């Protein structure tokens, strides 16, 4: 795996509750580069929320939009990029990510459930949040591991400490 000479400084992946958006924003600020989140890109392009896309058009439609949004962001963005938790489900996305520096923000089940709570903005976690989160994480963890150059377990760390560790890993990899 080689770091692309163009594209993001780092791409953050991980399950809901790992802190991708928060850490990505902090990391971008500390590095003096731009921040981008593909879920925000999708919502802006669709003119509606990710939750509404799921409800109105289904997960398959959302995943198609997500695959394109990730490909576009990887090609255009040169700062810190946060991907939606399910972006790694796409074979095409995982192939593209192999060309970039990817940081997997891992989180254990207990910490993830406590962080996402009963968040109605996460359509895949409606119902029994713990059960849904466990199934989601069991399915996706091998995919996050597949694309990640680095992993930071976020359970006992606040966002600032995760950012500190991410910065250390990026600098060591430079």
């Amino acid at each position: 795996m080689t770091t692309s000479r163009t594209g993001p400084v780092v791409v953050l992946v991980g399950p809901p509750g790992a802190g991708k958006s928060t850490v990505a924003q902090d990391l971008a600020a500390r590095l003096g580069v731009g921040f981008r989140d593909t879920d925000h890109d999708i919502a802006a392009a669709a003119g509606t929320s990710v939750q509404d896309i799921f409800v109105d058009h289904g997960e398959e439609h959302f995943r198609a939009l997500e695959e394109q949004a990730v490909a576009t962001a990887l090609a255009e963005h040169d700062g810190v990029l946060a991907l939606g938790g399910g972006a790694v489900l796409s074979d095409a996305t995982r192939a593209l990510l192999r060309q970039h520096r990817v940081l997997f923000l891992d989180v254990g089940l207990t910490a993830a459930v406590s962080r996402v709570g009963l968040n109605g903005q996460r359509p895949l976690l409606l119902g029994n949040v713990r059960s849904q989160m466990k199934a989601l994480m069991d399915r996706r963890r091998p995919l996050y591991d597949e694309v990640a150059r680095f992993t930071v377990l976020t359970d006992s760390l606040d966002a600032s400490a995760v950012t500190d560790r991410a910065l250390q890993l990026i600098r060591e990899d430079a």
Side-chain angles (χ1 to χ4, degrees), residues 90-165:
S90 161
D91 292 337
T93 294
R94 288 195 316 278
L96 289 174
L97 288 173
R98 288 185 193 101
Q99 303 166 37
H100 297 275
R101 180 189 288 138
V102 178
L103 174 62
F104 169 24
L105 296 186
D106 196 1
V107 62
L109 181 61
T110 300
V113 169
S114 110
R115 291 177 189 175
V116 300
L118 300 175
N119 187 342
Q121 299 301 312
R122 299 183 190 267
L124 292 180
L125 298 178
L126 296 177
N128 181 334
V129 174
R130 185 174 178 80
S131 172
Q132 296 294 335
M133 180 65 88
K134 180 175 181 344
L136 180 148
M137 291 171 75
D138 287 349
R139 178 173 180 216
R140 295 180 184 175
R141 182 165 275 114
L143 303 176
Y144 297 133
D145 286 333
E146 176 187 326
V147 300
R149 181 175 304 187
F150 312 110
T151 300
V152 175
L153 182 60
T154 66
D155 288 18
S156 61
L157 303 174
D158 64 17
S160 181
V162 174
T163 303
D164 290 343
R165 180 69 180 130

Side-chain angles (χ1 to χ4, degrees), residues 34-45:
F35 158 74
R36 188 165 175 175
D37 183 313
T38 56
D39 277 353
H40 297 161
D41 291 352
I42 295 163

